[in-house]
Amino acid sequence: MSAAHDVDVTVNGRAYRRRVEPRLLLHDFLRHELGLTGTHAGCEHGVCGACTITLDGDSVRACLTFAVQADGARIETVEGLGTPEALSPLQEAFREFHALQCGFCTPGMLMTCVDLIRKYPLASDAEIREGLSGNLCRCTGYEHIVRAVRAAVARQRETTP
Ligand code: FES
Ligand code: FES
């Protein structure tokens, strides 16, 4: 067994410290050490996008990242977006446009969108589709997800001076 390391992270604005083995993956760290089970583990080899979070502002696969690599980082997970009573605008658009069915892919979809919306204009459906092309959904056929993102982007444009 390898020596344990202290990992200090800020997740959704809250600071955490845990002592973990170097082999621990970041999605397991979030789910099992911090109890933040919104981040899902699907394929666990970087293909499906269900585990997507942001790490220092960039969307990353938590299944391809060791927890020790996140030491000192600022992480955002789906738990930081909104609550059932007060959904974030993006979550509200997903609800309104039926952009989820089983919901397994949804946390990763949302966190990928958070990063995309911050960085890119997403002026066309083609851009939205390209941005989400690394996230797999087995239920929706994607059309509703694209509509939701389109609506969220349009609303943000209306409200941002
Ligand atoms: S669980 Fe990480 S990409 Fe599928
Ligand atoms: S809503 Fe079921 S996998 Fe996307």
Side-chain angles (χ1 to χ4, degrees), residues 35-58:
L36 297 171
T37 54
T39 300
H40 290 166
C43 67
E44 300 194 73
H45 62 275
V47 173
C48 74
C51 64
T52 305
I53 55 148
T54 74
L55 186 77
D56 287 336
D58 295 318

Side-chain angles (χ1 to χ4, degrees), residues 2 9 21-22 24 28 37 54 73 88 99 120 161:
S2 317
V9 288
E21 285 188 33
L24 184 70
D28 286 330
T37 54
T54 74
S88 73
Y120 302 101

Side-chain angles (χ1 to χ4, degrees), residues 52-55 57-61 111-113 115-116 119:
T52 305
I53 55 148
T54 74
L55 186 77
D58 295 318
S59 59
V60 302
R61 306 290 211 221
M111 297 316 294
T112 301
C113 288
D115 187 29
L116 288 174
K119 292 179 181 166

Side-chain angles (χ1 to χ4, degrees), residues 41-93:
C43 67
E44 300 194 73
H45 62 275
V47 173
C48 74
C51 64
T52 305
I53 55 148
T54 74
L55 186 77
D56 287 336
D58 295 318
S59 59
V60 302
R61 306 290 211 221
C63 73
L64 296 183
T65 310
F66 291 112
V68 292
Q69 292 177 283
D71 187 28
R74 180 175 51 83
I75 292 171
E76 296 167 295
T77 69
V78 71
E79 285 91 348
L81 293 187
T83 65
E85 299 74 32
L87 298 175
S88 73
L90 182 62
Q91 288 173 311
E92 181 55 37

Side-chain angles (χ1 to χ4, degrees), residues 14 30-31 42 76 90 152:
R14 180 176 163 189
L30 293 167
R31 291 175 58 83
E76 296 167 295
L90 182 62

